Each structure stands twice: as structure tokens, then as C-alpha cells.
Amino acid sequence: MPLEIYQFPCRSDNYGVLVHDPESGATASIDAPDAEAVERELAAKGWRLSHILTTHHHQDHVEGNTALKAKHRCVIVGPASEASKIPGIDQLVSGGQRFIWAGRDIQVFDCPGHTAGHIAFLTENVLFAGDTLFAMGCGRVLEGSMAQMWQSLNQFRSLPPKTLVYCGHEYTVANARFALSVEPGNTKLQSRAKKVSEQRERGVMTCPTTIGEELETNPFLRPESSEIRNRIGAETYSDADVFSELRRRKDSFK
């Protein structure tokens, strides 16, 4: 039976995600941004929390860990290199490893950049990217290097285009504005920017996205674009250096 995935907004701009295996009854929360919000959505679905899959240590991704574990005795899985910063962590995993959850194969990606030990989870053509990849954007480089962040993103470019991507935040409209500033001639980007603006005006979530959509419209996955290179004066740069220049520009973009 296919997984049931339920996404909901929480905090100011976070996404919560519950992943439910209908056969075993196991339910995982991808990160735990807000215990009350997770509890509310679990109750609405009639699910009981068995696991928390943690992508990184930032407070807005682990704040609910302690309360949720106290109530549900759930198993908290998270990055080995950030174990000391993940409240209640039980199972330590690292990039390149695989583990079984509810009979499903879970692949772990090493994604340093936003944080030094950030990881992502992939199962059955669904990627839980945390704060590494966003719709038309990527996370700020806070603890790692630009080169590390590029490698973290670059590994996703080879995933099947139909791969669903769940992200940690609703940043899509702002990301679209920046994307248009560096690739205004991209007609697919123009159409998507219009669509997500209309979605947000109606209060509709813009995620999940797909790898295919991101390859067409996300500048951070498009360093080979001649228009982007021309716009930022990076015609002879390596792909990694194009990414670095884009990320620096996004950091100060208004």
C-alpha cells in the first residue's frame, strides 16, 4: 500500500509533514517544528506517532521533540554528526546509509551547508529535503561552505524528475522573485511565479514540488543556464562558482 503523506503549515512559515504507513500503522513526523501543531494534525487523522525523522538541529525543526517523545514514546532518528544538538535522539544516521522504517527502505543523503550535519531522507520517490532545497530556492549557507552546499544540491539533480520534494518552509513567492531577477526570460519560471503568487493569495500551500519542476525553474539547480550566467557576469565560471554567486546575491536580495 502506498504511503499517506500529509503536509500542514505551522509556526510562522514552517511546514509540518506526517508520513503514515497504512499497513503497519506507523507514522513519522518529518522534523518536529511545533508539538501542538503535530498533535493537532495527528488527532485529526487518527494516527499515532511512532517516529520523528530529523533533518537538522535548528530549533524550528526540533522544538517539538521532547514533548512528542514524552507522550508517544516515539523513536527519534537524526544526523549522527549533530546528535548532541538533537533533543531525545535515539537512532543516529549518516549520509550514504539506508535503514528500514515500516518495511520501507529509507535512503539518507548527506547535505552539509545550511548546517554542518544536515541530512535528507528519500523513500519511494519522495524526498524530504529539510532546509537544503526549497521550491525555487535553497537554504542559506550558515555552517558549511558554498562548495558543500552546491554538492548537497547537485546530488538531487540526478533524481528522477517525478520525485516529490517536501521542504521545510513556505518561501516560494520570495524565491520566485529572486529567480526572475536572474533568469527573467525563462517562460516556465514566469508561469510558475504567477501560479504560486495566486496560490499564496488564496492561502494555498505551494509545496510539495518535484525535482523536474526545480530543474526547470530553480536557479540554484540551473548553473548551466546561459541567461543566468550572462545576468550575473559568470560566463566562464564553474557550476559551483555560479551557485556561490547566486547564493551570495540571494542573501542580500530585497
Side-chain angles (χ1 to χ4, degrees):
M1 298 176 69
L3 288 171
E4 297 177 27
I5 304 177
Y6 180 68
Q7 177 182 261
F8 54 94
C10 58
R11 300 177 70 98
S12 61
D13 55 29
N14 280 73
Y15 278 132
V17 179
L18 296 175
V19 185
H20 180 71
D21 175 63
E23 187 169 347
S24 68
T27 303
S29 177
I30 306 301
D31 293 322
D34 182 317
E36 289 186 5
V38 172
E39 290 283 14
R40 182 176 63 248
E41 303 303 334
L42 284 168
K45 302 296 287 186
W47 297 342
R48 188 177 185 281
L49 189 67
S50 61
H51 293 74
I52 298 172
L53 305 185
T54 306
T55 62
H56 65 294
H57 70 81
H58 283 165
Q59 186 70 6
D60 63 326
H61 290 257
V62 302
E63 190 168 77
N65 280 19
T66 302
L68 291 168
K69 186 172 184 178
K71 179 171 181 178
H72 297 279
R73 297 184 180 179
C74 53
V75 175
I76 299 178
V77 182
S81 63
E82 295 186 358
S84 64
K85 301 177 182 180
I86 310 290
I89 193 168
D90 299 294
Q91 182 178 345
L92 280 57
V93 296
S94 301
Q97 292 184 337
R98 306 177 93 98
F99 65 96
I100 301 299
W101 172 80
R104 319 271 179 160
D105 179 57
I106 310 290
Q107 182 179 352
V108 182
F109 286 87
D110 189 22
C111 300
H114 183 63
T115 67
H118 197 300
I119 59 174
F121 302 96
L122 176 71
T123 186
E124 299 179 0
N125 285 323
V126 182
L127 176 70
F128 301 103
D131 285 3
T132 295
L133 177 64
F134 296 128
M136 289 186 278
C138 72
R140 283 181 177 265
V141 179
L142 299 177
E143 296 179 9
S145 66
M146 291 288 190
Q148 285 178 316
M149 190 64 166
W150 166 243
Q151 184 54 44
S152 296
L153 290 166
N154 189 39
Q155 65 189 330
F156 297 151
R157 297 206 300 165
S158 61
L159 293 175
K162 291 184 180 180
T163 303
L164 279 176
V165 181
Y166 285 85
C167 313
H169 293 270
E170 175 59 71
Y171 292 157
T172 313
V173 170
N175 288 342
R177 286 179 52 244
F178 175 74
L180 285 168
S181 77
V182 296
E183 199 177 18
N186 183 335
T187 56
K188 291 181 179 178
L189 172 58
Q190 294 167 13
S191 297
R192 189 180 182 195
K194 183 175 183 293
K195 176 183 176 182
V196 299
S197 179
E198 292 170 349
Q199 287 177 308
R200 294 309 296 153
E201 287 175 2
R202 302 195 309 272
V204 175
M205 294 180 286
T206 63
C207 291
T209 178
T210 66
I211 289 296
E213 275 190 299
E214 297 313 306
L215 289 172
E216 292 176 342
T217 60
N218 188 330
F220 298 105
L221 297 187
R222 296 176 52 78
E224 72 286 348
S225 163
S226 58
E227 182 179 16
I228 290 175
R229 286 172 171 263
N230 290 336
R231 294 280 295 191
I232 67 173
E235 292 88 344
T236 62
Y237 286 20
S238 67
D239 286 352
D241 286 341
V242 171
F243 165 78
S244 298
E245 179 62 22
L246 287 170
R247 185 61 259 184
R248 280 189 287 268
R249 288 175 178 238
K250 179 65 165 62
D251 288 345
S252 59
F253 184 75
K254 304 297 184 183

